[in-house]
């Protein structure tokens, strides 16, 4: 065996923990919200904020909430992936409402969403890592369910 007795001198790097964060696009600041998650892992918060802001400020509108999955390594380095905005945020933006109702009701919807908006949201959500293989119709049905649970009505036609 040609490799017998040879040891690898490369530093061993292992993932310590995964952390999930919700951070506004292009506006991450090293503050208490990020500090409480990254501080115990020894990750440089300013470096994370700089990399996150550089990656998101061109792609997303400022202050859009984004989900981030960060992998903290044993040598205090990190990698992270940015996911699309939450479906509820996209629906609120499409329907023009500020926040959902205290009590949802299909008889008294607080707003309406068009099928075209549902389709556009489905195309956005399909860009996520784990949703690329799902058909747009399935994603659209899921988004319609989220809209109903938020008290939004989906317009069936222009007369509705």
């Amino acid at each position: 065996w040609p490799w017998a007795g040879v040891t690898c001198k490369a530093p061993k790097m292992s993932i310590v923990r995964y952390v999930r964060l919700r951070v506004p696009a292009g506006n991450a600041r090293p503050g208490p919200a990020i500090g409480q998650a990254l501080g115990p892992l020894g990750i440089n918060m300013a470096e994370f904020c700089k990399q996150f802001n550089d990656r998101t400020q061109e792609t997303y509108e400022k202050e859009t909430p984004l989900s981030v999955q960060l992998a903290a390594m044993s040598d205090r380095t990190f990698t992270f992936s940015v996911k699309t905005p939450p479906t509820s945020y996209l629906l609120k933006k499409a329907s023009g409402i500020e926040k959902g109702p205290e009590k949802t009701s299909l008889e008294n919807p607080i707003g309406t969403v068009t099928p075209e908006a549902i389709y556009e949201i489905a195309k956005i959500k399909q860009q996520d890592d784990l949703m690329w293989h799902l058909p747009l119709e399935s994603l659209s049905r899921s988004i319609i369910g989220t809209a109903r649970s938020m008290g939004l009505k989906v317009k069936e036609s222009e007369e509705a």
Side-chain angles (χ1 to χ4, degrees):
W1 188 256
W3 299 102
V6 177
T7 58
C8 182
K9 299 285 184 201
K12 299 238 178 188
M13 198 169 50
S14 63
I15 294 176
V16 175
R17 190 166 72 197
Y18 285 104
V19 179
R20 295 183 67 180
L21 303 167
R22 177 82 38 96
V23 186
N27 199 20
R29 287 184 233 109
I34 294 175
Q36 289 176 355
L38 304 185
L41 300 171
I43 293 175
N44 184 343
M45 290 179 280
E47 182 62 27
F48 166 75
C49 291
K50 181 180 177 294
Q51 287 183 26
F52 177 81
N53 290 339
D54 289 345
R55 195 183 295 184
T56 59
Q57 73 187 70
E58 297 297 320
T59 312
Y60 297 100
E61 198 174 296
K62 198 170 177 100
E63 295 292 326
T64 301
L66 299 173
S67 296
V68 178
Q69 183 168 6
L70 182 134
M73 307 297 179
S74 58
D75 64 349
R76 296 184 177 205
T77 59
F78 61 90
T79 60
F80 66 93
S81 64
V82 180
K83 301 195 184 294
T84 56
T87 304
S88 58
Y89 173 81
L90 295 171
L91 283 167
K92 285 191 284 187
K93 200 160 178 179
S95 65
I97 61 172
E98 291 292 317
K99 65 177 196 162
E102 291 178 21
K103 236 180 170 182
T104 60
S105 166
L106 289 178
E107 292 81 36
N108 301 323
I110 59 162
T112 57
V113 168
T114 63
E116 292 81 14
I118 297 285
Y119 180 74
E120 291 300 318
I121 293 171
K123 287 197 321 191
I124 292 169
K125 295 305 283 183
Q126 197 175 37
Q127 297 170 7
D128 271 348
D129 292 340
L130 300 174
M131 295 196 190
W132 61 270
H133 67 285
L134 296 173
L136 284 173
E137 184 180 350
S138 299
L139 285 172
S140 297
R141 286 182 183 173
S142 174
I143 293 165
I144 289 170
T146 303
R148 285 186 181 145
S149 71
M150 291 174 60
L152 294 173
K153 182 179 179 186
V154 178
K155 284 185 189 177
E156 296 299 324
S157 65
E158 287 301 316
E159 298 87 43

